Amino acid sequence: MGTRHLLALFLILLVLGFEVQGNPVAPQDEVTSPSLLSQMQESLFGYWDSAKAAAHTLYEKTYLLSMDEKIRDMYDKSSAAVSTYAGIFTDQVLHLLNGEE
């Protein structure tokens, strides 16, 4: 077959594809049940809220001032270290991208 025949066959199949219609279905009323995505979101938010509530009650039960100070100190030190290493990493990536000048 030549390219003209293939092109004509393709166009005929394309036109037929647009003309083919399934059995007409009567329009249904709006679906009253929530979609799967919204059900999943509600479920995840429910799990998240219950986890937050459990963590908060555990924190309130075991709250110690000395432990709170240690946690704050560890957070300050770790965030300083992360920002330092992020700066070094960024510098190395920029050096690799720019090359030697």
Side-chain angles (χ1 to χ4, degrees):
M1 272 189 181
T3 56
R4 288 184 180 176
H5 290 100
L6 287 176
L7 182 61
L9 180 63
F10 174 74
L11 290 175
I12 290 171
L13 290 175
L14 186 65
V15 169
L16 287 176
F18 284 123
E19 291 296 320
V20 172
Q21 296 176 356
N23 293 336
V25 178
Q28 297 177 352
D29 293 337
E30 289 292 321
V31 179
T32 57
S33 64
S35 66
L36 178 63
L37 179 62
S38 62
Q39 288 177 352
M40 289 176 56
Q41 283 178 337
E42 289 175 14
S43 175
L44 289 174
F45 285 140
Y47 290 139
W48 178 253
D49 290 337
S50 65
K52 280 192 327 186
H56 187 68
T57 55
L58 181 64
Y59 176 75
E60 286 178 351
K61 285 181 183 177
T62 59
Y63 179 76
L64 297 172
L65 186 59
S66 61
M67 185 61 90
D68 191 44
E69 290 174 1
K70 287 181 184 178
I71 291 172
R72 289 179 193 274
D73 185 48
M74 285 177 19
Y75 175 77
D76 289 339
K77 287 180 181 178
S78 63
S79 62
V82 166
S83 63
T84 300
Y85 287 118
I88 292 170
F89 179 73
T90 304
D91 185 44
Q92 291 296 317
V93 168
L94 289 176
H95 179 71
L96 286 172
L97 292 177
N98 289 336
E100 295 190 30
E101 293 180 11

